[in-house]
Amino acid sequence: VINEIPSSRIIKPDLEILCKKYWNKLNKEADKQKKMLWDSEIYRFESCIIKNSRLFLKVSTIPFSIRLGMNNYTNIVKKLGRKYASLGIYVSCFVVTSDKKYLFIEKSKKYYSNRKFSFIGGVLSRTEKFLKSGKDLFNEVIKELKEEIGVSDVDIENMSLAAGYITENYNFCLIFNVIIGKTI
């Protein structure tokens, strides 16, 4: 069950300004390289509980640009405390192919990023999809599988939510296990 609530994040004006400056710097670098940067209202982790084998997730929103800026200022957020953190939610999945290999992807050169390889997944954008239930989370993973490797839901033998954790730079990752029934 997913409930959207007002954000409990404490906003420190100086940190917000740093994040916006960092975003502007990235925009200039991306423009020079003729690459795109994506911004959107994304979901922010507020809290969760597990009751009777069901996950009850409370979320709010935060601009992706602020989340990305905060990733650059983790040392400041760490000193301030978790109440100041972006806690942007993203999904990531371990994909096992029919020949029992794990699948990673090479990042597109179309978007500005310093990562070369990645798990399949993405940030949960409220602008793109309003999340109401766990089914919506699973559908977001399926959407990422389609976009990033061309696998449709009929090719998925099994998919399960394996874990959720707060990363070292204060984002919230939901990790899924996905078993693909065909050779990719």
Side-chain angles (χ1 to χ4, degrees):
V1 176
I2 301 172
N3 290 311
E4 188 173 334
I5 63 171
S7 178
S8 66
R9 181 172 73 96
I10 299 172
I11 295 174
K12 182 162 176 49
D14 295 356
L15 180 57
E16 299 292 303
I17 289 168
L18 283 174
C19 291
K20 289 174 185 173
K21 284 182 180 179
Y22 180 72
W23 181 256
N24 289 336
K25 176 185 163 200
L26 289 179
N27 266 316
K28 288 176 185 173
E29 290 175 16
D31 283 346
K32 283 181 190 174
Q33 296 178 27
K34 297 191 182 346
K35 295 187 178 187
M36 298 187 299
L37 272 177
W38 170 88
D39 200 5
S40 173
E41 279 296 307
I42 64 167
Y43 283 101
R44 177 183 190 272
F45 174 76
E46 290 291 335
S47 67
C48 69
I49 60 168
I50 298 173
K51 191 193 291 186
N52 299 326
S53 298
R54 293 183 71 198
L55 176 66
F56 292 84
L57 185 61
K58 290 184 180 177
V59 301
S60 62
T61 61
I62 186 170
F64 177 77
S65 51
I66 297 295
R67 178 233 187 210
L68 190 62
M70 285 193 170
N71 286 352
N72 195 55
Y73 298 108
T74 301
N75 57 335
I76 294 172
V77 175
K78 187 174 187 175
K79 288 177 188 171
L80 292 170
R82 195 171 117 177
K83 285 280 193 183
Y84 291 85
S86 68
L87 297 174
I89 303 173
Y90 68 99
V91 295
S92 191
C93 55
F94 290 108
V95 176
V96 181
T97 61
S98 61
D99 57 352
K100 308 290 186 240
K101 306 247 184 209
Y102 285 91
L103 184 64
F104 295 85
I105 59 167
E106 187 172 359
K107 298 295 276 183
S108 167
K109 291 178 176 59
K110 178 178 173 183
Y111 291 98
Y112 183 79
S113 175
N114 57 4
R115 284 199 275 155
K116 300 249 185 238
F117 298 95
S118 178
F119 290 103
I120 295 162
V123 173
L124 297 178
S125 168
R126 187 180 193 279
T127 307
E128 294 176 6
K129 173 73 175 163
F130 183 72
L131 301 177
K132 297 178 277 194
S133 71
K135 183 177 180 183
D136 293 331
L137 286 176
F138 282 84
N139 286 338
E140 285 299 296
V141 173
I142 292 169
K143 178 189 88 163
E144 294 295 336
L145 289 165
K146 285 178 184 175
E147 286 177 2
E148 295 184 13
I149 60 172
V151 168
S152 72
D153 53 344
V154 298
D155 299 319
I156 299 170
E157 280 187 10
N158 189 9
M159 181 169 36
S160 60
L161 177 60
Y165 73 99
I166 296 175
T167 67
E168 71 278 354
N169 58 355
Y170 297 99
N171 289 296
F172 185 69
C173 178
L174 292 167
I175 300 175
F176 290 78
N177 287 324
V178 178
I179 298 173
I180 305 294
K182 71 174 193 173
T183 304
I184 299 177

